[in-house]
Amino acid sequence: MGIFGTDGVRGLANRDLTAELAVDLAVAAAHILGEVGAFADTRPTAVVARDPRASGEFLEAAVVAGLASAGVDVHRLGIVPTPGAAYLTAFLEADMGVMISASHNAMPDNGIKFLSRGGLKLDDELEKQIEQRLEEPWDRPTGADVGRIGDSHAGVGAYIKHLVASAPGRLDGLTIVLDCANGAAYETGPKVFEELGAKVIAIHAEPDGLNINLNCGSTHIEDLQRAVVEYGADAGFAFDGDADRCLAVDAKGELVDGDQILAILALAARDAGTLTDDTVVATVMSNLGFVQALSAAEITVIQTSVGDRYVLEAMRSGGYNLGGEQSGHVIMSDHATTGDGVLAAVHVAARMVMTGESLASMASVMKRLPQVLVNVPDVDKARADTDPVLRGEVAIASAKLGDTGRVLLRQSGTEPLVRVMVEASTHEEAAAVAAHLAEVVRANLAL
């Protein structure tokens, strides 16, 4: 199995993802991008950013060393959200970008993702070529041909300015709680909202290298829910460790998930006449209530495989400018090349001001159908789509649910595991169908 997953290389830092591997990845990426013409026959430059986790310090040093040894000039950005690294790759006209982060994973993990000129994620083919070049012999530059290394921390200010300029209106009068996950948005998130006029209460905005995502952020929404109610705030937003996603909380402390955020932004863009072809790209995991709500608003939903890279691919191929995932990745391609949690949060808050509606009122445009997910481990996932007994039971369940629900079976990309997802009009019905199908998977796909 290749070392690249759906979002770069990720694993336990200093075990799976070592300094040696980081150096080799950086060298191989520089060579491959150079060979495909990404450097335009000029002395190449790269930007390197990271989130605050402790292992990012030695991995940043390793990546920078690898790039410089391959003849690439490096600008270190410091702690910047993933979408900030993507924006600054384009803004600073760098030939490539590197983000060191494990996103929403726990602190011991880390990851490396590469960006091409313009701040775009590399496609699968380029990542395969990078893997194939790891540890291969190569001609090392010497003398004046080695890369030079410098700091470019002022880039954070340019990213903040970009986010502020993207807002369709000011946020004066709003009180907003931001859970920064002790991650990469601990500085940019509060500053953007403050510059737009909101009163900001920031929680989990004191990263120490060890507390990123620790019982906070978009994977642990409880603190944000309590804080919004305690402070009487209008809304709250929670980012993950690298701030490429966000979830929201309304004034009563109720969760507003990625599907609801995407629905709010889709209606806002349609009303403004800026939603390309009145179409939104989502994944197969989006709640059926999301699809039904947008269909009622005469907005087309295109669904892809799970993963923001697949959403991005569909957006680019169709020229669409809005897409996202239930998990909180929202891609607004008029302003960003990747999911941007702070950007999405700003535009949702601006919609509140422009319409005078509460977040709860805006989120009510869609009714979330109860959704139950059961993971079935230690099975032959490759037969999930072909086993005749399983296919028959899925067909029976789907027919029974009709238009009021659906069944989705997904193979894990990294484990011998099948995910059974069922939506239905009641939680009890969804749970019963999911439990039955999980048993069918265990009985028929056992290893």
Side-chain angles (χ1 to χ4, degrees):
M1 183 177 295
I3 62 172
F4 280 91
T6 58
D7 198 20
V9 177
R10 193 177 297 183
L12 181 60
N14 219 26
R15 293 282 182 86
D16 305 319
L17 183 55
T18 63
E20 294 86 349
L21 178 57
V23 170
D24 289 342
L25 282 167
V27 170
H31 288 162
I32 292 300
L33 288 174
E35 289 173 7
V36 299
F39 298 158
D41 297 324
T42 61
R43 186 178 177 95
T45 61
V47 297
V48 177
R50 65 181 180 90
D51 71 22
R53 67 189 76 213
S55 59
E57 297 168 3
F58 80 78
L59 288 172
E60 176 191 57
V63 167
V64 169
L67 291 173
S69 72
V72 179
D73 291 337
V74 181
H75 302 286
R76 290 180 297 209
L77 300 176
I79 297 174
V80 178
T82 289
Y87 172 76
L88 291 170
T89 299
F91 179 79
L92 297 174
E93 298 183 343
D95 296 293
M96 64 181 292
V98 185
M99 181 68 196
I100 301 166
S101 174
S103 188
H104 58 281
N105 286 29
M107 181 277 295
D109 288 348
N110 216 324
I112 299 174
K113 64 187 80 175
F114 294 98
L115 303 164
S116 63
R117 174 173 278 274
L120 301 173
K121 292 183 179 181
L122 303 189
D123 60 32
D124 292 343
E125 181 56 35
L126 283 177
E127 289 182 342
K128 288 178 183 177
Q129 292 180 40
I130 291 171
E131 288 182 12
Q132 293 166 359
R133 293 291 289 273
L134 291 175
E135 299 182 2
E136 281 191 358
W138 54 287
D139 293 328
R140 298 171 181 269
T142 59
D145 292 331
V146 301
R148 305 298 298 273
I149 301 167
D151 295 323
S152 183
H153 298 314
V156 177
Y159 174 56
I160 290 172
K161 184 177 180 180
H162 161 68
L163 292 176
V164 170
S166 80
R170 290 188 56 78
L171 307 180
D172 300 284
L174 288 185
T175 298
I176 301 293
V177 181
L178 298 179
D179 183 341
C180 300
N182 291 315
Y186 81 98
E187 178 182 9
T188 57
K191 281 190 175 181
V192 169
F193 273 81
E194 287 168 355
E195 290 196 21
L196 286 167
K199 177 183 177 182
V200 177
I201 299 153
I203 63 173
H204 301 300
E206 298 179 348
D208 62 9
L210 306 178
N211 59 3
I212 187 171
N213 297 321
L214 182 61
N215 298 320
C216 60
S218 62
T219 54
H220 298 277
I221 207 79
E222 300 81 12
D223 277 5
L224 178 63
Q225 291 174 308
R226 284 190 290 268
V228 168
V229 174
E230 177 185 343
Y231 289 104
D234 296 290
F237 297 95
F239 310 121
D240 63 338
D242 69 337
D244 66 349
R245 70 171 74 179
C246 84
L247 297 177
V249 168
D250 68 25
K252 292 184 179 180
E254 295 295 323
L255 172 67
V256 177
D257 69 13
D259 283 339
Q260 292 167 298
I261 290 171
L262 192 56
I264 291 168
L265 295 176
L267 292 174
R270 183 206 61 183
D271 292 349
T274 60
L275 184 63
T276 302
D277 293 340
D278 285 343
T279 297
V280 172
V281 180
T283 76
V284 293
M285 285 299 289
S286 284
N287 195 281
L288 182 58
F290 168 80
V291 178
Q292 292 172 340
L294 292 198
S295 177
E298 299 184 342
I299 294 174
T300 300
V301 178
I302 295 174
Q303 291 183 280
T304 73
S305 300
V306 176
D308 64 323
R309 71 182 304 154
Y310 303 113
V311 174
L312 271 166
E313 286 174 6
M315 290 175 66
R316 288 183 197 137
S317 64
Y320 306 118
N321 62 346
L322 182 63
E325 296 186 282
Q326 189 182 69
S327 60
H329 282 119
V330 176
I331 304 162
M332 307 175 71
S333 62
D334 289 342
H335 308 289
T337 60
T338 185
D340 191 325
V342 179
L343 177 71
V346 162
H347 281 253
V348 169
R351 179 71 169 171
M352 292 172 64
V353 175
M354 292 173 68
T355 63
E357 288 189 74
S358 68
L359 181 56
S361 174
M362 295 195 308
S364 68
V365 67
M366 66 163 278
K367 178 183 177 183
R368 273 190 307 223
L369 272 69
Q371 192 177 71
V372 173
L373 178 66
V374 179
N375 291 326
V376 187
D378 303 320
V379 294
D380 182 2
K381 63 184 180 181
R383 293 194 291 119
D385 295 331
T386 59
D387 182 80
V389 175
L390 179 57
R391 290 183 65 182
E393 290 297 320
V394 168
I396 292 170
S398 297
K400 181 180 177 181
L401 292 170
D403 294 335
T404 63
R406 65 180 178 128
V407 174
L408 177 67
L409 266 60
R410 290 178 50 231
Q411 304 168 26
S412 168
T414 58
E415 305 171 79
L417 182 147
V418 171
R419 308 185 197 281
V420 179
M421 191 277 284
V422 177
E423 289 174 338
S425 55
T426 68
H427 183 274
E428 290 76 16
E429 183 179 18
V433 174
H436 169 68
L437 291 177
E439 281 303 316
V440 176
V441 171
R442 289 188 190 96
N444 289 275
L445 304 186
L447 291 172

